[in-house]
Amino acid sequence: MIPALGEFALWIALPIALWGCALAFLGGRWLRGDLILSAERSTYAVFGLLFVASAGLIVAFMGDRFDYWYVYNYSSTNLHPFFKFSGLWAGQRGSLLFWALNLSFFSVLAVWLNRRRNRELMPYANGVLLAVTSFFIIITLFVTPPFEQLGFTPSDGRGLNPQLQNYWMTIHPPTLYLGFTAFTVPFAFAIAALLSGRLDARWIEGTRRWVLTSWFFLTLGIIFGMRWAYEELGWGGYWFWDPVENASLLPWLVATAFVHSIMIQENRGMLKVWNMGLVVLTFLMTIFATFLTRSGLIESVHSFAQNLTIAWIFLGFLGVVGTLSLGLIFWRLPLLHSERQFESLLSREAAFLLNNLVLLGAAFAVTWGTMFPLITEGLIGSRVAVGPPFFNQVNIPIGLVLLALMGIGPVIAWRKASARNLKRNFLLPTALGLAVGTVLYVAGVRHHYAWLTFTIGTFVLTIIVIEFWKGTRARARIEAENHFTAFIHLVRRNRRRWGGYIVHVGVVIMFMGFAGSAFDREARESLIPGESMSIVSAFGHEYTLTYQGLSTHQDPNMWRVIALMSIQRDGVEVGTMTTERQMVVAPPQPITEVGIRSTLFEDLYVILSTLDEQVGMGNEPQHQRATFQVLVNPLVPWIWYGGLIVAAGTLVALWPGAGVPTRIPAPGAGSGTAPGAERRREEASRPERAADPAAPVG
Amino acid sequence: MTVLLLAGLLATVVVAYVLHPVVAGRWAPMEREVDELTEAQHRKRVALLALRDVEYDYHAGKLDDADYRKQKSQLSLEALTALDEEAGEWRTRFDASAHELGEREERARREEVEAEIAALRASIREGTVCTQCATPNPLESRYCGECGSALPGRERARRGT
């Protein structure tokens, strides 16, 4: 009954969303509060209805309702309830409903948080949000109906793709979807600003947290996806430049550009048209990413090959949204003129602009490489795919330029920096970077890109540490605080700046983790129990793996063969590891479960590659012959630690109540955020006391 | 049948909820919140942020004295201009709402806002911007390097007020 009710709810949601969309625009145009309120209620109602619809689908999964096409194709009776629940986003049909639900959730948040704010913008913003939601509901209802029935009830379902039967399945897709959908809110605000003509920086102020929220989830989603690939795909890597991986990277690249360029608009009143373009482009990229993931247009390990009707619908939607948005920007060009000009190439503005150009260059290269099979099919009639070598060749240099800019940007002042000041700020970081580079060269590091990554990374980390040190020291001196308290207060005073620096630290550490892949070591041997194999890591540690034997295990949905290895590191016993081959029952497919042993600097990664045909015939060693592929991946753990630091830094920048001065930071007076006039007057009469080292200390 | 009834009930409730404002003539708030920034307030805030950055950059050694003075002067003037606009906005707002407030309350509010604006203005002037010629001066200056006028903030500080 509940699945059927869910289907009805989906049908009711469509007219309500369309009604709300129309009323929102009309209400904004005619300044009719009753229409606007009705539209806002439509947003709340649509969320409720999509929630019921999604709940209906989940209940269908949990109740093994194989009479539904979607449940039949993505579940089976012996599937763990955990994965039945995540069936909602396991395939195209459910995931588009899930997209609509996420977007609807964020729409409700945006409307509710702005129920008394940004009132000139909200009707239009709500209209845009409901229009996008309507698009997804229409697709869900008419093209990819999740509640379509087979007309009969099979005894069992076809099961979930075994590679999706991993706990990351319940975490990675929703996180990425939250990132995709959250960006619709800044897009809606941008369009609302264009429609209403209220194009001052307030719309950016209103959406800054939304942009960071979206960026936060996109970043986490991508990192979770890498971790999933590393654990589950069993080839020793975490990124394969797969079309769907690329799809998640595209909006991230453009959103990252936007996160930086909005600062130029806020601080300098520049790049207004550029920022509008970036918001629209990021939104289009989120739709494009969804389209690539769910259309089956380009084959990938995420392939959910589907009919191509949906591809054309998505392309049409992208075309319409892109054209309308560009038309609106063109219409409002007179209101989007820059308040200032670039004064110098040696300025933070110029560094940010270069950062933007580089990020967009990367986005273009990734798009080109991803779409290349389609382009060649159109031109020469056959698909030619470009692989990781193309993407690495293009993106590694781009990444290194970005890395360097992360160090240069914060040190260069706004507007204009003199060569003397640059020399003063760059001398120590450059010297330290080169010192580390020299040490690495002497130690035998000859891989150019890796060497550059560590050298530039050290340069950037030094700059950030100096920035923190200078700020903390100044604050400790002025406020007579101990250094730890001063550090905490420093970050709290300007969370955006310092949160951003923390993010940069995380990114540098991640880049160093990526560079570690240049020093991977690999060995492959066929062993019988009692035999050993050895491998020496890039750090010089010798691992000896002794094959102890096989065991088998029967789970409800799979048959597992588990190999046990004992591990010695530099001759010292450090424990045991297991690695598995699994044969999933529904759908029948073998998968690998790798064994990973992590330390701070490297991962020992063991894959049970092949099993002798006679496995299971007996307990004799000769019947348990197996081939093992062993890798030692240096610095891979740094990717995950770096990711955690990036997430923490983003949260710092996002956290409400970031210090923003409401009074001028006069010399010796500091910049306060005092809520009341009394306190401000009191502070103004104490010019000798500075509350923030960002204020003068002289 | 039960499903149809429930679906019908759901549709009825939703439609009634959505249509109610139109039928009953209930309006969403259309006005700005009092604490929501106006355009002038926003410009002032941006200028303050930029000033904070300039101060930080200067003391972090990223700006020369000459560049610092030039930028500080420019941004201080921008902040003062935005402050004037904000004061104008406040006056308009008080004029518009004068009939709603009692005379005493109106005067008290006006005074509070004006005192706040004066304090902000003072905090600029206590800084390095000369009130006579708008030339910025080094932090430790007692007198303007351009016109020789005493810097008001420094004088007051010397007097110990």
Side-chain angles (χ1 to χ4, degrees):
Chain A
M1 186 175 79
I2 294 176
L5 190 63
E7 187 178 6
F8 277 115
L10 195 57
W11 280 102
I12 301 167
L14 180 60
I16 298 292
L18 291 172
W19 164 268
C21 176
L23 254 64
F25 286 116
L26 290 175
R29 183 93 181 97
W30 297 337
L31 296 176
R32 283 272 305 273
D34 52 345
L35 304 188
I36 294 169
L37 185 60
S38 179
E40 289 179 352
R41 287 189 173 194
S42 300
T43 306
Y44 299 142
V46 166
F47 170 68
L49 292 165
L50 289 176
F51 186 82
V52 173
S54 303
L57 198 53
I58 289 172
V59 168
F61 265 98
M62 303 307 276
D64 292 334
R65 290 287 303 272
F66 300 123
D67 50 330
Y68 287 104
W69 184 95
Y70 184 62
V71 179
Y72 167 70
N73 278 285
Y74 290 92
S75 184
S76 54
T77 43
N78 52 14
L79 188 68
H80 194 282
F82 202 56
F83 298 119
K84 286 183 180 174
F85 180 85
S86 61
L88 176 60
W89 53 82
Q92 185 191 64
R93 298 188 177 204
S95 59
L96 291 175
L97 171 62
F98 186 56
W99 214 102
L101 177 71
N102 278 332
L103 174 57
S104 180
F105 169 70
F106 282 129
S107 304
V108 165
L109 265 186
V111 168
W112 188 76
L113 290 172
N114 287 285
R115 63 196 183 284
R116 292 197 182 85
R117 295 186 167 270
N118 293 309
R119 296 312 297 172
E120 299 122 296
L121 295 178
M122 277 320 291
Y124 298 114
N126 190 28
V128 173
L129 289 168
L130 282 169
V132 180
T133 312
S134 301
F135 168 74
F136 276 93
I137 297 175
I138 288 170
I139 288 200
T140 307
L141 278 174
F142 298 105
V143 189
T144 60
F147 292 103
E148 187 185 349
Q149 289 190 298
L150 289 169
F152 62 98
T153 307
S155 58
D156 203 350
R158 295 175 63 189
L160 183 66
N161 180 343
Q163 286 182 337
L164 301 183
Q165 293 183 36
N166 178 289
Y167 63 99
W168 287 110
M169 169 63 190
T170 52
I171 306 168
H172 161 67
T175 315
L176 210 49
Y177 271 34
L178 287 172
F180 287 165
T181 49
F183 208 88
T184 312
V185 178
F187 169 74
F189 269 84
I191 297 296
L194 287 168
L195 283 170
S196 66
R198 214 193 79 172
L199 282 157
D200 53 71
R202 279 179 290 172
W203 75 268
I204 282 188
E205 175 68 23
T207 58
R208 194 178 70 80
R209 286 215 166 80
W210 284 103
V211 174
L212 284 178
T213 304
S214 167
W215 194 87
F216 173 75
F217 284 120
L218 278 178
T219 309
L220 274 188
I222 291 170
I223 293 170
F224 289 165
M226 288 162 70
R227 181 74 202 183
W228 184 1
Y230 189 64
E231 282 185 13
E232 192 61 24
L233 296 186
W235 57 279
Y238 38 79
W239 192 268
F240 197 66
W241 296 106
D242 175 272
V244 174
E245 289 171 350
N246 296 349
S248 65
L249 188 63
L250 288 173
W252 184 88
L253 287 169
V254 189
T256 308
F258 182 67
V259 165
H260 288 88
S261 68
I262 48 173
M263 281 189 255
I264 305 182
Q265 181 166 346
E266 282 185 277
N267 277 285
R268 305 284 292 142
M270 298 157 77
L271 298 183
K272 291 180 182 173
V273 178
W274 178 263
N275 282 329
M276 275 293 172
L278 283 184
V279 173
V280 172
L281 189 60
T282 310
F283 171 70
L284 292 179
M285 285 295 186
T286 62
I287 302 289
F288 181 66
T290 312
F291 150 70
L292 268 190
T293 320
R294 293 309 186 206
S295 69
L297 189 64
I298 296 177
E299 298 293 319
S300 84
V301 294
H302 295 70
S303 181
F304 306 95
Q306 309 292 333
N307 68 68
L308 292 186
T309 314
I310 193 169
W312 292 111
I313 294 172
F314 265 102
L315 279 179
F317 181 70
L318 285 171
V320 169
V321 173
T323 310
L324 285 177
S325 305
L326 281 180
L328 276 175
I329 294 174
F330 190 72
W331 175 46
R332 291 297 193 186
L333 271 184
L335 295 175
L336 289 168
H337 62 87
S338 201
E339 290 164 28
R340 293 181 187 84
Q341 300 297 320
F342 276 102
E343 290 174 31
S344 166
L345 281 176
L346 283 175
S347 64
R348 198 174 295 169
E349 296 93 307
F352 275 26
L353 188 61
L354 185 58
N355 143 302
N356 268 228
L357 293 174
V358 171
L359 282 165
L360 287 193
F364 175 77
V366 173
T367 310
W368 177 259
T370 308
M371 300 305 286
F372 199 70
L374 281 187
I375 295 166
T376 50
E377 188 176 32
L379 292 177
I380 59 173
S382 63
R383 290 190 172 209
V384 179
V386 293
F390 163 80
F391 289 105
N392 287 334
Q393 201 171 355
V394 175
N395 287 306
I396 291 177
I398 288 177
L400 287 171
V401 173
L402 276 177
L403 191 62
L405 283 172
M406 275 195 291
I408 295 168
V411 180
I412 295 190
W414 290 109
R415 297 158 202 93
K416 185 184 172 190
S418 70
R420 194 166 66 86
N421 287 140
L422 287 180
K423 197 170 148 191
R424 183 174 155 190
N425 284 296
F426 282 135
L427 200 61
L428 178 62
T430 309
L432 259 177
L434 286 175
V436 168
T438 308
V439 169
L440 288 175
Y441 189 82
V442 171
V445 174
R446 295 290 186 275
H447 191 284
H448 296 83
Y449 285 144
W451 184 85
L452 278 170
T453 307
F454 292 117
T455 305
I456 300 173
T458 308
F459 161 79
V460 177
L461 286 179
T462 311
I463 282 177
I464 297 172
V465 168
I466 290 175
E467 286 280 299
F468 271 108
W469 168 242
K470 277 181 180 172
T472 306
R473 189 184 54 180
R475 185 167 178 107
R477 195 173 65 225
I478 296 160
E479 297 290 331
E481 294 170 339
N482 66 51
H483 282 78
F484 178 74
T485 314
F487 174 80
I488 299 295
H489 286 163
L490 175 82
V491 174
R492 283 178 60 185
R493 295 289 304 176
N494 192 350
R495 290 196 173 110
R496 190 173 174 183
R497 174 195 282 257
W498 302 108
Y501 286 173
I502 294 170
V503 170
H504 285 183
V505 169
V507 174
V508 171
I509 291 172
M510 287 182 76
F511 267 59
M512 289 181 170
F514 297 147
S517 67
F519 310 101
D520 287 354
R521 298 282 186 270
E522 189 176 346
R524 188 186 173 90
E525 274 187 47
S526 177
L527 305 173
I528 58 171
E531 289 184 331
S532 299
M533 62 185 288
S534 292
I535 186 168
V536 179
S537 78
F539 287 106
H541 297 296
E542 185 181 20
Y543 289 93
T544 306
L545 296 88
T546 307
Y547 177 30
Q548 301 292 336
L550 287 177
S551 60
T552 57
H553 190 79
Q554 179 77 49
D555 275 358
N557 193 33
M558 65 175 70
W559 185 66
R560 299 161 62 195
V561 180
I562 306 165
L564 180 70
M565 314 281 279
S566 64
I567 315 293
Q568 283 187 337
R569 186 173 183 246
D570 298 327
V572 179
E573 198 78 37
V574 288
T576 56
M577 282 175 77
T578 58
T579 173
E580 301 182 19
R581 293 282 287 177
Q582 300 171 343
M583 177 55 80
V584 177
V585 177
Q589 188 180 329
I591 53 170
T592 304
E593 193 72 30
V594 299
I596 301 173
R597 185 181 180 280
S598 257
T599 60
L600 182 60
F601 288 99
E602 58 193 17
D603 278 359
L604 180 65
Y605 191 98
V606 185
I607 308 161
L608 178 54
S609 290
T610 50
L611 289 166
D612 193 278
E613 283 179 4
Q614 291 183 312
V615 162
M617 299 287 288
N619 284 327
E620 297 79 9
Q622 63 270 26
H623 289 146
Q624 296 193 9
R625 176 170 290 280
T627 305
F628 297 94
Q629 190 181 355
V630 179
L631 296 99
V632 187
N633 300 330
L635 303 185
V636 166
W638 289 24
I639 298 171
W640 322 126
Y641 299 138
L644 285 176
I645 296 172
V646 169
T650 316
L651 284 179
V652 168
L654 252 176
W655 211 256
V660 169
T662 55
R663 59 184 289 273
I664 281 91
S671 60
T673 50
E678 280 304 316
R679 193 176 141 198
R680 269 174 247 174
R681 278 198 293 277
E682 185 189 321
E683 282 192 6
S685 65
R686 290 191 285 125
E688 73 288 350
R689 190 170 166 79
D692 186 347
V697 291
Chain B
M1 190 60 192
T2 318
V3 171
L4 280 178
L5 276 175
L6 279 174
L9 185 66
L10 184 65
T12 311
V13 170
V14 167
V15 169
Y17 173 69
V18 169
L19 285 183
H20 177 254
V22 181
V23 176
R26 227 180 122 190
W27 280 44
M30 304 288 282
E31 300 297 319
R32 292 175 55 256
E33 280 284 274
V34 176
D35 62 339
E36 198 175 349
L37 294 185
T38 63
E39 172 62 7
Q41 286 169 330
H42 188 77
R43 272 211 301 282
K44 179 191 77 180
R45 183 177 165 280
V46 168
L48 297 179
L49 276 168
L51 268 173
R52 182 175 69 175
D53 278 343
V54 165
E55 294 292 350
Y56 180 81
D57 287 345
Y58 177 62
H59 289 281
K62 298 176 196 170
L63 273 177
D64 276 339
D65 287 351
D67 287 336
Y68 166 70
R69 282 200 292 270
K70 184 179 165 195
Q71 290 180 23
K72 173 110 183 173
S73 164
Q74 188 186 337
L75 288 169
S76 298
L77 289 174
E78 275 177 29
L80 283 169
T81 309
L83 208 56
D84 285 342
E85 283 176 28
E86 188 193 352
E89 281 177 356
W90 275 108
R91 276 191 285 274
T92 311
R93 198 182 293 185
F94 279 129
D95 290 345
S97 62
H99 63 282
E100 292 171 15
L101 301 166
E103 194 181 330
R104 273 180 63 182
E105 193 180 349
E106 190 208 338
R107 196 184 316 135
R109 285 199 185 180
R110 248 182 227 272
E111 281 172 3
E112 187 184 345
V113 168
E114 279 169 10
E116 188 169 348
I117 288 171
L120 270 165
R121 207 182 295 277
S123 73
I124 296 176
R125 290 187 177 138
E126 280 166 6
T128 58
V129 185
C130 174
T131 51
Q132 301 300 313
C133 66
T135 301
N137 288 274
L139 296 174
E140 63 281 10
S141 299
R142 294 183 176 189
Y143 302 97
C144 176
E146 183 68 23
C147 68
S149 306
L151 296 174
R154 299 292 141 189
E155 269 208 329
R156 209 176 313 162
R158 277 199 308 280
R159 288 201 305 267
T161 55

